[in-house]
Amino acid sequence: MKKSSLRRTLSATAIAGGTAALMMAGLAGASAHVSVNPDKTAANSYALLTFGVPHGCDASATTKVTINLPDELTDATPTVNPNWTVEKVTQTLPEPKKLADGTSITKRTSQIVYTAKTPLDPHLRDALVLSVKLPDAAGKTIYFPTLQNCEQGQTNWAEIPAAGQDPHSLKAPAPSVAITPAAAADGHAAPAVSTTAVTTEQVASVSDDGSQARSWAGLVAGVAGLVLGAAAFFRKRSAKVPAAK
């Protein structure tokens, strides 16, 4: 086998492996934030929003998580989590707000506050789930500034990127959901999603780590394929070299 071919093969394999490692590092960094994972993003649809709490404040355990609802939402139904107590905070509007069905409201749910029954170990994670009706605002990103209180200190996940700014450059980005066009099956009269049937096991499994795990698996499979391909290439080239007499 020519040295130039060998160098090209080894270089390609090394580059692929290095790229996969960098992508894995990026995924790990993203999972370090308090983030939200929606099961739906279509405008006017009822969605389950799973807020992942991946760690404490440095080495301090989490005691409370306050999720601020964007102005586009008027209410949210929190899913019961046996590890936390939950409270809905109501806000009186400065003036009545007219809804799409023609009715008006003078109050809205502005915050959902989860308080840990036992402080959440900084090396463990948990998931907090809200049921909401997404607004009729396709193409818009809505933000959920979230305050994480710990036994010592706090982290305010409330940074919102400026126009054109990469949200990954923010130190403490607010969890966000990008609204997509309404699906044909999602009408204004869509039934509310019941959250009472969501079990603790389901809540724990539906999180930002779900997509992360699939991404890691895909990356590992891709790198393994490259390594096996390189090995097959070596065998093929070796088979073509005549044996020495």
Side-chain angles (χ1 to χ4, degrees):
M1 180 177 185
K2 295 182 179 180
K3 291 183 178 181
S4 59
S5 298
L6 176 60
R7 283 196 297 268
R8 286 196 297 270
T9 303
L10 292 177
S11 297
T13 304
I15 291 172
T19 301
L22 289 173
M23 292 178 68
M24 288 180 180
L27 288 170
S31 68
H33 298 157
V34 170
S35 58
V36 60
N37 180 35
D39 69 336
K40 295 180 183 178
T41 58
N44 282 324
S45 66
Y46 287 86
L48 290 177
L49 309 182
T50 300
F51 291 80
V53 185
H55 58 71
C57 307
D58 293 325
S60 182
T62 300
T63 57
K64 182 185 295 186
V65 176
T66 302
I67 302 170
N68 291 279
L69 302 185
D71 292 338
E72 291 83 358
L73 300 183
T74 58
D75 196 14
T77 302
T79 300
V80 173
N81 184 315
N83 301 318
W84 307 72
T85 61
V86 62
E87 175 190 6
K88 296 173 67 170
V89 178
T90 301
Q91 171 194 22
T92 300
L93 300 175
E95 59 183 30
K97 179 178 181 179
K98 190 173 183 179
L99 303 181
D101 60 4
T103 61
S104 296
I105 59 173
T106 58
K107 296 181 179 181
R108 65 179 286 267
T109 301
S110 60
Q111 293 180 333
I112 304 294
V113 182
Y114 279 93
T115 303
K117 295 179 181 178
T118 301
L120 177 64
D121 188 293
H123 303 296
L124 300 178
R125 72 181 311 280
D126 208 340
L128 308 174
V129 184
L130 305 182
S131 174
V132 304
K133 183 177 182 182
L134 297 176
D136 185 9
K140 183 172 184 178
T141 298
I142 56 176
Y143 295 90
F144 297 78
T146 301
L147 179 62
Q148 179 185 13
N149 289 99
C150 299
E151 290 182 316
Q152 295 182 3
Q154 62 182 26
T155 302
N156 192 16
W157 304 96
E159 295 181 343
I160 297 175
Q165 183 180 12
D166 182 1
H168 295 95
S169 66
L170 300 176
K171 184 178 180 181
S176 63
V177 175
I179 308 299
T180 57
D186 291 321
H188 290 279
V193 174
S194 173
T195 61
T196 56
V198 179
T199 65
T200 303
E201 290 77 15
Q202 289 173 319
V203 170
S205 64
V206 181
S207 69
D208 55 324
D209 283 352
S211 59
Q212 178 185 354
R214 291 190 294 272
S215 300
W216 279 53
L219 287 169
V220 171
V223 173
L226 285 170
V227 173
L228 291 175
F233 181 75
F234 289 147
R235 288 196 299 271
K236 182 177 180 182
R237 294 290 298 181
S238 299
K240 292 182 179 180
V241 177
K245 294 182 179 180

